[in-house]
Amino acid sequence: MDVTRDFATAAEQLAHVGRRFDARGWVLGTSGNLSVVIDRNPLRLAITRSGAPKGDLTADAIIEVDEGGAAVLPDAGRPSAETLLHLEIARVRAAGAVLHTHSIWSTVLSAQYLPAAGIAIEGYEMLKGLEGVPTHEHREWIPILENDQDMIRLSGRVRRLLAEHPACHAFLLHRHGLYAWGQTLEQAVRHVEIVEFLLEAVGRTNRHVEDI
Amino acid sequence: MDVTRDFATAAEQLAHVGRRFDARGWVLGTSGNLSVVIDRNPLRLAITRSGAPKGDLTADAIIEVDEGGAAVLPDAGRPSAETLLHLEIARVRAAGAVLHTHSIWSTVLSAQYLPAAGIAIEGYEMLKGLEGVPTHEHREWIPILENDQDMIRLSGRVRRLLAEHPACHAFLLHRHGLYAWGQTLEQAVRHVEIVEFLLEAVGRTNRHVEDI
Amino acid sequence: MDVTRDFATAAEQLAHVGRRFDARGWVLGTSGNLSVVIDRNPLRLAITRSGAPKGDLTADAIIEVDEGGAAVLPDAGRPSAETLLHLEIARVRAAGAVLHTHSIWSTVLSAQYLPAAGIAIEGYEMLKGLEGVPTHEHREWIPILENDQDMIRLSGRVRRLLAEHPACHAFLLHRHGLYAWGQTLEQAVRHVEIVEFLLEAVGRTNRHVEDI
Amino acid sequence: MDVTRDFATAAEQLAHVGRRFDARGWVLGTSGNLSVVIDRNPLRLAITRSGAPKGDLTADAIIEVDEGGAAVLPDAGRPSAETLLHLEIARVRAAGAVLHTHSIWSTVLSAQYLPAAGIAIEGYEMLKGLEGVPTHEHREWIPILENDQDMIRLSGRVRRLLAEHPACHAFLLHRHGLYAWGQTLEQAVRHVEIVEFLLEAVGRTNRHVEDI
């Protein structure tokens, strides 16, 4: 089984990822949220507490939640408002970790490309770092969803989006950043970094296009 | 009471915030100034010394000032030139901490939007991190004030601005950066990071607008 | 002889370089690969393992390979997919180290300038940091190669490119980043940093050109 | 006297400044050079060795030079190629420290504004951090000199430039970055950070100008 890792280890690893993303400016304020699957059946996640600064995740900033999104321990505090999205992704994609970053470029491009409902990226070697992609000639579609404060409604839309785009490795919420995932936390981190890179490359390329 | 924290703790926490903002390039040179309220009645602040580099705030770089802006201890050095602005905000907003950053994007946008006397930002999930904002559909108005070297005149203008915009979480001084605050230092830091993020997102979006 | 350094020292030095490039965002995901020559006759490299994150190169993330690109030790894992390119460069240029970064600017410019098959850079003082360049009046040609997943074919093209451009210090792969090298690891690092700087300067200059 | 500091202390302080500038990407490759005056009469500098990476200035990377620019100790290595410029500035401005950074923005703007032979910056609060400037209404002229590999000729031009612009706090060399100085090393660091900030603000503003 792929989720034998215990809660304490998971919390420590999420803190490490939080520091890394914070240094890159991808989780400013208390934005972003990070989770790993710690049990599969029934589904359990270790997920960041609502409002915790991701660059300094102390032990009490990681909460164990059940398949309904409720904290397992009574005094654990409030899990991330977006816990339902994490659970949905973990279930549909059999992901071992789900990461949400909130970078400048993912935010800017999610608005620019909203009319097209997504961004097509192809021809970049970096695409090969996405699981199962053998060549830079791959065309990755990064869908964009309208943002919503109703998490039940939004998680339903995420479920449909994942069904419609079975090959996608990540999606954007409009002016709300990036969701990516992986079979392991390591793979999820790689996917986040690759998609953040690609979005920045596309964003900076757009401005150059007329220049040459 | 919300300000039981002692001066030594306050100084240490401000040093931590200074290092964080310095790493992001938001307090270059000796720009920026940081304060926390350490007593409410009468009002007392722990505030950065004038000319102190914010990335390396030693114990003697934090000064205790009274409600008139004078250093409490005779040999404490000169408090930040903008101490009166901090006191005004702490009083009018009942803030527990006031932070002034001087980033590239807040400086650039303060000039671009000066003719409009402010920047309206809406539709960003990041807005939800501002205290009391329940949805990304919120419209935040970030007012911009003309810069002034006369601190008595400027603090009077800040007082009127805060009265005119009772819901605002931050304001800009023209080509002089950002002021934000919070009930606690943690909240003030969050507000700074959120507004800095939003300004950069707006700044980078402007340049893209024609591209698609 | 210039390659008396032992494998353990080489691995440690590559880890140091990896952390440095990672901090600059030049090896996101698990992109980039780094090698040093540890023997010349027959040629042997210490090179990063395929898929290793460059900011955290542990001892088992560096692999010794022979002149054919095969791992010397049976259980060493899979060397970088681009090992053949490193060997080609080490051979043709008698390089002591070969470094491949995958930055935003090298990626963006590799696409912009692909129609010209390269980028001419001159008039920059930074050029003087390239080995053998005595003046900023030097004109450096940075060739761009089409990307390819067939490493045997690609390494053949690299060989021809190096023969056609005997004075070049670096080249780009289309949407795949930068290759640079040096007689020593220190020199190779310097070359990477200089070329990355120059590409960013050219990229940012392009956008300004019409502004004045 | 203002230069009682000993060589060892000076070297340690320059190493600290080097790490700081390196983290900001202002001294990539082995670019940039840093000096402090350690004696005034006759003039002596502690200056970085030619080709030393500024982010990792070990003890042997700082060299004591006399008023002619020669190393005081026989085996000290070669001082920075631009030692004559440091000596010129230290003499004419009675500076206690001279710092040369080589950032993207100073490089890009030195080319953009070369036809005007300088950049006028006014209206920025950050200007007040320059020694002797009481208000943001100050107009700072940052002259730009053509680059030159002949250091005797170039130092002559620097001398004339400093005489023609007795109030300037810094100057640019064309596509070669920034020179700034101060009465103390602390002040010189402040001046560098302020001018780098202002150049980036001007650079990013230029691109926005048409947008609103």
Side-chain angles (χ1 to χ4, degrees):
Chain A
M1 205 191 160
D2 62 333
V3 291
T4 50
R5 73 175 100 199
D6 63 304
F7 180 79
T9 306
E12 207 176 282
Q13 292 175 327
L14 289 177
H16 177 78
V17 172
R19 281 193 297 276
R20 184 167 172 88
F21 288 178
D22 181 56
R24 301 221 185 270
W26 294 348
V27 288
L28 284 174
T30 58
S31 71
N33 34 70
L34 318 171
S35 73
V36 290
V37 171
I38 53 174
D39 211 340
R40 195 64 87 183
N41 204 345
L43 188 57
R44 296 223 167 173
L45 303 182
I47 192 165
T48 44
R49 187 168 50 75
S50 178
K54 302 310 171 292
D56 188 23
L57 289 171
T58 48
D60 70 331
I62 313 286
I63 298 178
E64 186 175 342
V65 297
D66 65 22
E67 56 191 337
V72 168
L73 295 177
D75 298 326
R78 196 156 60 86
S80 165
E82 296 167 38
T83 300
L84 291 183
L85 307 191
H86 286 249
L87 287 164
E88 202 60 65
I89 296 167
R91 217 175 275 131
V92 175
R93 285 297 201 253
V98 179
L99 304 174
H100 164 45
T101 47
H102 202 133
S103 71
I104 290 288
W105 289 102
S106 66
T107 301
V108 168
L109 269 71
S110 73
Q112 271 194 283
Y113 287 85
L114 182 67
I119 308 176
I121 301 184
E122 61 182 316
Y124 287 91
E125 176 73 11
M126 199 59 103
L127 289 162
K128 270 181 61 191
L130 300 175
E131 200 59 22
V133 173
T135 166
H136 63 283
E137 288 167 350
H138 170 78
R139 184 176 185 272
E140 180 77 15
W141 178 252
I142 302 175
I144 305 173
L145 270 183
E146 276 289 359
N147 196 17
D148 198 329
Q149 297 307 327
D150 181 332
M151 283 301 136
I152 293 175
R153 192 164 56 200
L154 189 53
S155 63
R157 279 204 237 132
V158 165
R159 194 182 324 129
R160 286 192 293 280
L161 177 140
L162 295 173
E164 281 168 34
H165 302 283
C168 82
H169 293 82
F171 61 85
L172 297 176
L173 296 179
H174 178 225
R175 287 189 167 155
H176 183 167
L178 171 72
Y179 268 87
W181 53 88
Q183 289 167 282
T184 62
L185 180 58
E186 293 67 27
Q187 192 184 101
V189 168
R190 202 176 79 215
H191 285 175
V192 163
E193 295 193 13
I194 286 168
V195 178
E196 288 286 0
F197 174 92
L198 290 167
L199 294 172
E200 182 174 345
V202 167
R204 293 197 186 272
T205 296
N206 282 345
R207 288 194 245 148
H208 277 281
V209 161
E210 352 272 71
D211 288 340
I212 282 197
Chain B
M1 203 189 162
D2 63 331
V3 291
T4 51
R5 73 175 99 201
D6 63 304
F7 179 80
T9 306
E12 207 176 283
Q13 292 176 328
L14 289 177
H16 177 77
V17 172
R19 281 192 297 275
R20 184 167 172 88
F21 288 178
D22 180 56
R24 301 222 183 270
W26 294 347
V27 288
L28 284 174
T30 59
S31 73
N33 35 68
L34 318 171
S35 73
V36 289
V37 171
I38 54 174
D39 211 340
R40 194 64 88 183
N41 203 345
L43 188 58
R44 296 221 167 174
L45 303 182
I47 191 164
T48 45
R49 187 167 50 74
S50 178
K54 303 310 172 291
D56 187 23
L57 289 171
T58 49
D60 71 331
I62 312 286
I63 298 178
E64 186 176 342
V65 297
D66 64 22
E67 56 191 337
V72 169
L73 295 177
D75 298 326
R78 197 156 61 85
S80 165
E82 296 167 38
T83 299
L84 290 183
L85 306 191
H86 286 249
L87 287 163
E88 202 60 65
I89 296 167
R91 217 175 275 130
V92 175
R93 285 299 202 251
V98 180
L99 304 174
H100 164 45
T101 47
H102 202 132
S103 71
I104 290 288
W105 289 102
S106 66
T107 301
V108 169
L109 269 71
S110 73
Q112 272 193 284
Y113 287 86
L114 183 67
I119 309 176
I121 301 185
E122 61 183 318
Y124 288 92
E125 175 73 11
M126 200 57 106
L127 289 162
K128 270 181 62 191
L130 300 175
E131 201 59 21
V133 173
T135 166
H136 63 283
E137 288 167 350
H138 170 78
R139 184 176 186 272
E140 180 78 14
W141 178 251
I142 302 175
I144 305 172
L145 271 182
E146 275 289 359
N147 196 17
D148 198 329
Q149 297 307 326
D150 181 330
M151 283 301 136
I152 293 174
R153 192 163 57 199
L154 188 53
S155 63
R157 278 203 238 133
V158 164
R159 194 182 324 131
R160 286 192 292 282
L161 177 140
L162 295 173
E164 281 169 33
H165 303 284
C168 83
H169 293 81
F171 62 84
L172 297 176
L173 296 179
H174 179 224
R175 287 189 167 157
H176 183 167
L178 171 73
Y179 268 88
W181 53 87
Q183 290 168 283
T184 61
L185 180 57
E186 291 69 26
Q187 192 182 101
V189 168
R190 201 176 79 215
H191 286 176
V192 164
E193 295 192 13
I194 287 169
V195 178
E196 288 285 0
F197 174 91
L198 290 167
L199 293 172
E200 182 174 346
V202 166
R204 293 197 187 272
T205 295
N206 282 346
R207 287 194 246 150
H208 277 282
V209 161
E210 352 272 70
D211 289 340
I212 281 199
Chain C
M1 203 188 161
D2 63 333
V3 290
T4 52
R5 73 175 101 201
D6 64 305
F7 180 79
T9 305
E12 207 176 283
Q13 292 175 327
L14 289 178
H16 177 77
V17 172
R19 280 192 297 276
R20 184 167 172 88
F21 288 179
D22 180 56
R24 301 220 184 272
W26 293 348
V27 287
L28 284 174
T30 58
S31 72
N33 34 69
L34 318 171
S35 72
V36 290
V37 171
I38 53 175
D39 210 340
R40 194 64 87 184
N41 203 345
L43 187 58
R44 297 222 167 174
L45 304 182
I47 192 165
T48 44
R49 186 167 51 74
S50 177
K54 303 309 170 292
D56 187 23
L57 288 171
T58 48
D60 70 330
I62 312 287
I63 298 178
E64 186 175 341
V65 297
D66 64 23
E67 57 192 335
V72 169
L73 295 178
D75 299 326
R78 197 156 59 87
S80 166
E82 296 167 39
T83 300
L84 290 183
L85 307 191
H86 286 250
L87 287 163
E88 202 60 65
I89 296 167
R91 215 175 277 130
V92 175
R93 285 298 201 252
V98 180
L99 305 174
H100 164 44
T101 47
H102 203 132
S103 71
I104 290 287
W105 289 101
S106 66
T107 302
V108 169
L109 269 72
S110 73
Q112 272 194 283
Y113 287 86
L114 182 66
I119 309 176
I121 302 185
E122 61 183 316
Y124 288 91
E125 176 73 11
M126 199 58 105
L127 289 162
K128 270 180 61 191
L130 300 175
E131 201 59 21
V133 173
T135 165
H136 63 282
E137 288 166 351
H138 170 78
R139 183 175 185 273
E140 180 78 15
W141 178 252
I142 302 174
I144 306 173
L145 271 183
E146 277 288 0
N147 196 18
D148 198 329
Q149 297 308 326
D150 181 330
M151 284 301 136
I152 293 174
R153 192 163 57 198
L154 188 53
S155 63
R157 279 204 237 132
V158 164
R159 193 182 325 129
R160 287 191 293 280
L161 177 140
L162 295 173
E164 281 169 35
H165 302 283
C168 82
H169 293 81
F171 62 83
L172 297 176
L173 296 179
H174 178 225
R175 287 191 167 154
H176 183 165
L178 171 73
Y179 268 88
W181 53 88
Q183 290 168 282
T184 62
L185 180 58
E186 293 67 27
Q187 192 184 99
V189 168
R190 201 175 80 215
H191 286 176
V192 164
E193 295 193 13
I194 287 169
V195 179
E196 288 285 1
F197 174 92
L198 291 167
L199 294 172
E200 182 174 345
V202 167
R204 293 196 186 273
T205 295
N206 282 345
R207 287 195 246 148
H208 278 282
V209 161
E210 352 272 71
D211 288 341
I212 283 199
Chain D
M1 204 191 160
D2 62 333
V3 291
T4 50
R5 74 174 98 200
D6 63 304
F7 179 79
T9 305
E12 207 175 284
Q13 292 175 329
L14 289 177
H16 177 78
V17 172
R19 280 191 298 275
R20 183 168 173 87
F21 288 178
D22 180 55
R24 301 220 183 271
W26 293 348
V27 287
L28 284 174
T30 58
S31 72
N33 34 69
L34 318 171
S35 73
V36 289
V37 171
I38 53 174
D39 210 340
R40 194 64 89 184
N41 203 343
L43 187 59
R44 296 223 167 173
L45 303 183
I47 192 164
T48 44
R49 187 167 49 74
S50 179
K54 304 307 172 294
D56 188 22
L57 288 171
T58 48
D60 71 331
I62 312 286
I63 298 177
E64 186 175 341
V65 296
D66 65 23
E67 56 192 337
V72 169
L73 295 178
D75 298 326
R78 197 156 59 88
S80 165
E82 296 167 39
T83 299
L84 291 183
L85 307 192
H86 286 249
L87 287 163
E88 203 58 66
I89 296 168
R91 218 175 274 132
V92 175
R93 286 296 202 253
V98 179
L99 305 174
H100 163 45
T101 48
H102 202 133
S103 70
I104 290 287
W105 289 102
S106 67
T107 301
V108 169
L109 269 72
S110 73
Q112 271 194 285
Y113 287 87
L114 183 67
I119 309 176
I121 301 185
E122 61 183 316
Y124 288 91
E125 176 72 12
M126 200 59 104
L127 289 162
K128 270 180 61 191
L130 300 174
E131 201 58 22
V133 173
T135 165
H136 63 282
E137 289 166 349
H138 171 78
R139 183 175 187 273
E140 180 78 14
W141 178 251
I142 302 175
I144 305 172
L145 270 183
E146 276 288 0
N147 196 19
D148 198 329
Q149 297 307 327
D150 181 331
M151 284 301 136
I152 293 174
R153 191 164 57 199
L154 188 54
S155 63
R157 279 205 236 131
V158 164
R159 194 182 325 130
R160 287 191 294 281
L161 177 140
L162 294 174
E164 281 168 34
H165 302 283
C168 82
H169 293 81
F171 62 84
L172 297 176
L173 296 178
H174 178 226
R175 287 190 167 155
H176 183 166
L178 171 73
Y179 268 87
W181 53 86
Q183 290 168 282
T184 61
L185 180 57
E186 292 68 26
Q187 192 183 101
V189 169
R190 201 176 79 217
H191 286 176
V192 164
E193 295 193 15
I194 287 169
V195 178
E196 288 285 0
F197 173 92
L198 290 167
L199 294 172
E200 182 174 346
V202 167
R204 293 196 187 273
T205 295
N206 282 346
R207 287 194 246 149
H208 277 282
V209 161
E210 353 272 71
D211 289 339
I212 283 199

